[in-house]
Amino acid sequence: MKTRMIFTAIALSGVVTLASAANWPPETGAKVPGNALEYPTKLEPVNRSLQQMLNEGATVVSSGLGENGPVVTLHSGKSYVICILKGAGTGSDQNVATSKCYAMN
């Protein structure tokens, strides 16, 4: 038990160190040197599932793990689409995986 607690403490301190060293995300505000300004970005809901878009020929541009599950960026037709996946049984009574997708352009 003691070894496990030490390992957890080391792992957590490593995460904190990594996060602070990366300095990510950058600070916001116009007074931060070299900072990009924040602009509103319109996200249009896409009323199709990730599965349907892939079956229709969309291609995966990138993927990563978000706070609540995978996040996938697709190129579908002339649009780039962000899809947020939620797996079945992720701490709720949900018994099927779902996707929520938004077109960025």
Side-chain angles (χ1 to χ4, degrees):
M1 179 79 169
K2 187 175 181 180
T3 305
R4 187 176 189 184
M5 288 175 26
I6 292 169
F7 178 76
T8 303
I10 291 169
L12 289 176
S13 67
V15 170
V16 171
T17 303
L18 245 137
S20 60
N23 220 8
W24 194 259
E27 290 185 53
T28 58
K31 294 183 179 181
V32 177
N35 192 28
L37 297 178
E38 295 180 23
Y39 291 95
T41 299
K42 186 176 179 181
L43 296 175
E44 286 289 324
V46 175
N47 294 318
R48 295 188 320 249
S49 70
L50 171 61
Q51 178 182 4
Q52 183 180 1
M53 286 186 280
L54 289 171
N55 288 340
E56 293 171 352
T59 55
V60 175
V61 175
S62 68
S63 64
L65 188 57
E67 188 174 313
N68 297 314
V71 178
V72 179
T73 305
L74 303 172
H75 186 244
S76 178
K78 294 182 178 182
S79 296
Y80 287 90
V81 179
I82 296 175
C83 291
I84 303 160
L85 300 174
K86 184 174 182 183
T90 53
S92 68
D93 60 354
Q94 182 170 323
N95 60 5
V96 295
T98 59
S99 57
K100 186 186 285 189
C101 301
Y102 299 93
M104 293 186 283
N105 63 334

